[in-house]
Amino acid sequence: MISSREDVTKMILAAKVSKGLKWRQVAEALGLSKEWTTAACLGQMTFDKAQAEAVGDLFGLSDEAVAWLQIVPHKGSLPSAVPTDPLIYRWYEIVNVYGSTLKELIHEEFGDGIMSAIDFSMDIQREEDPKGDRVNVVLSGKFLPYKSY
Amino acid sequence: MISSREDVTKMILAAKVSKGLKWRQVAEALGLSKEWTTAACLGQMTFDKAQAEAVGDLFGLSDEAVAWLQIVPHKGSLPSAVPTDPLIYRWYEIVNVYGSTLKELIHEEFGDGIMSAIDFSMDIQREEDPKGDRVNVVLSGKFLPYKSY
Amino acid sequence: MISSREDVTKMILAAKVSKGLKWRQVAEALGLSKEWTTAACLGQMTFDKAQAEAVGDLFGLSDEAVAWLQIVPHKGSLPSAVPTDPLIYRWYEIVNVYGSTLKELIHEEFGDGIMSAIDFSMDIQREEDPKGDRVNVVLSGKFLPYKSY
Amino acid sequence: MISSREDVTKMILAAKVSKGLKWRQVAEALGLSKEWTTAACLGQMTFDKAQAEAVGDLFGLSDEAVAWLQIVPHKGSLPSAVPTDPLIYRWYEIVNVYGSTLKELIHEEFGDGIMSAIDFSMDIQREEDPKGDRVNVVLSGKFLPYKSY
Amino acid sequence: MISSREDVTKMILAAKVSKGLKWRQVAEALGLSKEWTTAACLGQMTFDKAQAEAVGDLFGLSDEAVAWLQIVPHKGSLPSAVPTDPLIYRWYEIVNVYGSTLKELIHEEFGDGIMSAIDFSMDIQREEDPKGDRVNVVLSGKFLPYKSY
Amino acid sequence: MISSREDVTKMILAAKVSKGLKWRQVAEALGLSKEWTTAACLGQMTFDKAQAEAVGDLFGLSDEAVAWLQIVPHKGSLPSAVPTDPLIYRWYEIVNVYGSTLKELIHEEFGDGIMSAIDFSMDIQREEDPKGDRVNVVLSGKFLPYKSY
Amino acid sequence: MISSREDVTKMILAAKVSKGLKWRQVAEALGLSKEWTTAACLGQMTFDKAQAEAVGDLFGLSDEAVAWLQIVPHKGSLPSAVPTDPLIYRWYEIVNVYGSTLKELIHEEFGDGIMSAIDFSMDIQREEDPKGDRVNVVLSGKFLPYKSY
Amino acid sequence: MISSREDVTKMILAAKVSKGLKWRQVAEALGLSKEWTTAACLGQMTFDKAQAEAVGDLFGLSDEAVAWLQIVPHKGSLPSAVPTDPLIYRWYEIVNVYGSTLKELIHEEFGDGIMSAIDFSMDIQREEDPKGDRVNVVLSGKFLPYKSY
Amino acid sequence: MISSREDVTKMILAAKVSKGLKWRQVAEALGLSKEWTTAACLGQMTFDKAQAEAVGDLFGLSDEAVAWLQIVPHKGSLPSAVPTDPLIYRWYEIVNVYGSTLKELIHEEFGDGIMSAIDFSMDIQREEDPKGDRVNVVLSGKFLPYKSY
Amino acid sequence: MISSREDVTKMILAAKVSKGLKWRQVAEALGLSKEWTTAACLGQMTFDKAQAEAVGDLFGLSDEAVAWLQIVPHKGSLPSAVPTDPLIYRWYEIVNVYGSTLKELIHEEFGDGIMSAIDFSMDIQREEDPKGDRVNVVLSGKFLPYKSY
């Protein structure tokens, strides 16, 4: 019995290792970005029927698991409020060190409101650099203003 | 008596409101990016002597305050482990929802290691869009590999 | 020296008690809803210049305080992650008991996405009832869908 | 052996996915609102005998599971004090940003007391809007006054 | 400037020590129970005008402080989620050890619902006992049932 | 293998539902109060041999489980520091709102010390009331004074 | 205005340093143990009138401060749930490492109940030892049994 | 497969109940104090080979379990930072109420440093007393001074 | 099915005990330092293919487990934010007591920046000492400066 | 009135900035290591009389402040359990990632026990390196074994 999307995420992770698949290959098979595809396979986004079946084929999942991939998941991919993994922590640190800067500059440019994390996309690229390659991440979110009423 | 950089940050914030300054203007006066300048004024980066004096002139700070601007601050700009301000929270949510995706894709591309939050820069831009303007943020950090020894 | 919006909120609260003002009166003076007006006076929303000056007149605030009312505040009105005040706690309890229900029913009706807390309004009304009057609160938020990319 | 209501909730969630049921259909079968029905299926409310048997038939539950549906559950549907799921977090954010406003306005209208979360009902509706459909939620709770004694 | 009810509570506590008053005397002066009176003086309940003025006379408070006594306070009298004071901790321990028992027995007698903490009164009495006097506390709260809708 | 008292509590809860037993019946069978009996069955008190065997007969427990009922348990019946279940939370709220009152009045009557939570008993009664029945709970604990030495 | 016992504790600590007093001397002046005296001066115990006046003379306190020494304090001398000071942490570690041992052995000897922290005394002694002197601490608390009722 | 010392602790606890063993008997069989023996059986200390085999014989453990008894365990016997069990909590309370006293008096006698929790022993004794027997616990730890360098 | 690196860590720990292996032997077999090897076996570093197969041979792991050893793990080896194990806690204490010193002295020598925990190595040695042997640990990390941009 | 060592630490930090002193200079004036001297000035160690007076001269402190420097401080230099400053966090991360490795290797070499954080010294050095200079930190602590008794 599968009673949560997390059970399916574990199946995908196990199958990915044993089959030696890359997220890039999964994304190509779906015709979607590697960022959205990975997030969805990790239980943070919802697949439609065709996508779920394609994912099920790639990872060899049961029909029940494929049905769960089409259910909106309970999101949140970190096991603790402050992440312990060094790669993920660096992102938390960026929010900690630059959070007030992001707030000041977005408000200075747009006024009161937020940058959406829903109407949002992310693109991760390698930039070659003789002093050491760089990870470049572009985050794009719609600005949503607070309005008085 | 000023006994921490936070005291100076409060002075800067108070002067900024009473003088009606923009971060953009401060950055132009220093000849630096608005992102780094704002972070530094908010107590997250260290000014050199010339920068500190220019900041002191703009905000009307005492010599003692200008001296503190050149001291490496105790960093961390958020008052709680999970931010409550909606704009900053959305960034925490991005780390929460996409953190495992960032981890998987950076490792898939670069192997084990992290994206540096120190050898790092940030650029915030407005993208005009008829469906609502977007906030585009480019984060660039050097990849630092773990090595066996 | 005023160095945060919270300082102004305290001034407003003190003046409100000593002058015996009602939030309803403040809202009428501004020509806005009592819900938005109260939230703004409590440091959760941003006033424009005319609104800030009207608020300053009503509460007898200094020019410096009026300037701060036009600065986007650091939002979050609760002193602890789990509220201790019984009235506010009941709302936290509603989120705790009905949170999964809200999630299931909004997803069943709209698919994956959220109800916005930014493009959002609230209306509080008394409903007379012989068994004891009721508080009726209408919350209205735009649905924002997650999209694949 | 079933030793908690949570075990039954998991069975219901698993059966719902494999049978492709909608909460709306379950509510219609019971002749109750979709809000109360969903909350009850998710382990937050108590079914009477007839309701429990109807739920058991719909989801194909054992007699033991049906007996548990009639036991008052240990309520609380969120796995952490601050929710991580974006949809549920937005509600927590509403309590955080508007909590003090709710407190002020309910006290201004009713005096000291609370809006009950027990003598309470909730109604979720879609409002069509050309700028994007809205989620409208009406919360209705009896006002309970504190009295001196 | 008084900007919160806590400021007034501190004034009352300081005056109580310097004047050597007893809570019992305050309650008698108000014609109310010692339990409600003490809770109100400690910032957990709201005085009406006549009560507030009587309290102001007893403790020698300013008009501004008397006005604050009539404002509904932000309740919660403990500085931490788990109390450290031994007397108060014992009550937390009773909730911890007997909480599930209270839940089971109230549900067995009344069905699903709660014992109100708002329509509630408390009475503290000394019971003489040769083996050591006992503290007897009677808590009385209205039962509020959950109802389906 | 049973390795903790909690395992036995789960067996009792499962048997209670499948057999349709009431705590009141268990208490009568043991000749003890329903309050102590329920607390003991829920793993908060220790049974003697005769009591444990009677409980084992009622719930159909193995000899190993009956042996565990005679072991002093690790007490504490709540899964989180701040309870989420509404019924239990109301008790935590009483401690939060009235905790300082209990402290002041017990000290005013008895001096420095505590009300024991060990030499303690509890009695829960229904009081009929035309405005809605009430839950009356009497808590009785020996006063234990601090002494100088 | 003194509004809490902590204010008086700070006065005592400041006077102790400037006057160069030892706790041992304070205890001798009061004719009580150094353990109880120190705890009382640090705001954990209540002085009677004669003791409070003697303490006031030794430390040069005002009459208002002396009055506060006779008020039962809000106990708890540590600023965080897990202590950070190494000396105090070692005691927390002893509870962490040996807590289950204390529980098992006290129950094996006495049955279900606790060792009182109220009817309690403590004695700290230096034991000379050629391998390094030892701190010996004797803790003595009355055993309080749980009883069925 | 046994993958942690905690698994062995559970086996010991289960065997202790089913065999009706006392810690005192285990200690006698090993020729060690009951305090160290109990702590070691509860997974806080490391057995040598002979001790582990003796423990294995007493509790009927497998060779694999006996091997684990000789592995240094991950120490810490409490499931939460603030203990909920009343007996263990009283010890935490002693550290909370008397922690600052212990710190002051040990520093007054020995200077800066700590009482070791490693070079440490504990002895628990029953003291008969007509007013109720007492638990006497002697803790002895080497004083370790901080030194400048 | 293995769905996380932690599952493999448990297999390694179980095999290490049953086979009586030393980390030193594992390191020698791999031709790497004992520090890196142990961290990697405990799930904190990533093995390459040859290393993973050698580890698999030593511990008798399945092919699936060997595949997981080559996956970048979710790092973080402590079960709680503040460690409870005395050996590990001492390191946390060093960070707590000396953290501000490390910060001051590294900034005094190098300016603003950090000591890398990624481009990092560790070496643990025993230093014989007649007063008791010492643990000497050398930590070496590249200095990474913050730069303005 | 100075009522805690933290007040003196703030005075030292303020004086250090306004006088432009280096920790290295303070250490030389005292004839002690820069590591111990800095820790002591930051309120983590205790000065003797001569050291305190020298520190007082360098920083221009009052006699009262100099007296406080000779009082054993309440140690712990971090404002939160998980540090937010990136330099200090990296050390916390080292404990998190390598903590279990330190535990395994120290136990493998020395048996059960700890590396002392009291009988402890630290030495920080710059190592020049063409690929970027390195921070080398040597930590030396006496091994303290657990012994059975």
Side-chain angles (χ1 to χ4, degrees), chain E residues 13 16 21-25 34-36 38-40 42 44-45 75-78 80-83 85-88 90-110 113-122 124-127 131-144 146, chain F residues 13 16 21-25 34-36 38-40 42 44-45 75-78 80-83 85-88 90-110 113-122 124-127 131-144 146:
Chain E
L13 288 172
K16 179 171 179 288
L21 281 165
K22 297 281 182 197
W23 296 117
R24 191 175 298 271
Q25 295 169 305
K34 66 183 184 305
E35 288 78 10
W36 189 89
T38 305
L42 293 172
Q44 305 300 313
M45 299 288 159
K75 297 177 175 72
S77 69
L78 303 183
S80 57
V82 176
D85 182 84
L87 185 140
I88 301 175
R90 294 306 180 279
W91 281 78
Y92 181 77
E93 183 176 306
I94 290 168
V95 177
N96 215 314
V97 171
Y98 282 99
S100 50
T101 295
L102 285 159
K103 184 171 171 64
E104 290 287 333
L105 291 177
I106 294 175
H107 291 327
E108 187 165 302
E109 177 65 32
F110 292 89
I114 61 153
M115 167 179 158
S116 181
I118 309 292
D119 188 337
F120 171 85
S121 65
M122 182 168 76
I124 305 173
Q125 298 294 340
R126 175 196 283 259
E127 180 192 341
K131 285 176 294 184
D133 287 4
R134 297 182 77 79
V135 187
N136 285 354
V137 182
V138 184
L139 307 174
S140 171
K142 188 176 175 183
F143 181 74
L144 303 179
Y146 276 103
Chain F
L13 288 171
K16 178 171 180 289
L21 280 165
K22 297 280 181 199
W23 296 118
R24 193 175 296 272
Q25 297 169 305
K34 66 185 182 306
E35 289 78 10
W36 189 89
T38 306
L42 293 171
Q44 305 299 313
M45 301 290 159
K75 298 178 175 73
S77 68
L78 304 182
S80 57
V82 175
D85 182 83
L87 185 139
I88 300 176
R90 295 305 181 279
W91 281 80
Y92 180 77
E93 183 177 306
I94 290 168
V95 176
N96 215 314
V97 171
Y98 282 100
S100 49
T101 296
L102 285 160
K103 182 170 171 64
E104 290 287 333
L105 292 176
I106 293 175
H107 290 328
E108 187 165 301
E109 177 66 32
F110 292 88
I114 61 152
M115 168 181 158
S116 180
I118 309 293
D119 188 336
F120 170 86
S121 65
M122 184 169 74
I124 304 174
Q125 297 295 339
R126 175 196 282 257
E127 179 192 340
K131 286 177 294 185
D133 287 3
R134 298 182 76 78
V135 187
N136 285 354
V137 182
V138 185
L139 307 174
S140 171
K142 188 176 176 183
F143 181 75
L144 304 180
Y146 276 103

Side-chain angles (χ1 to χ4, degrees), chain D residues 8 14 20 23 26-27 39 41-42 48 62 69 71 92 98 101-102 105 125 130 133 143 145:
Chain D
V8 185
W23 296 118
V26 181
C41 287
L42 294 172
D48 66 23
S62 68
L69 289 177
I71 300 296
Y92 180 77
Y98 282 100
T101 295
L102 285 159
L105 291 176
Q125 296 296 338
D133 287 3
F143 181 75

Side-chain angles (χ1 to χ4, degrees), chain G residues 13-24:
Chain G
L13 287 172
K16 178 170 179 287
V17 172
S18 65
K19 290 174 189 288
L21 282 165
K22 298 280 181 198
W23 296 117
R24 191 174 298 270

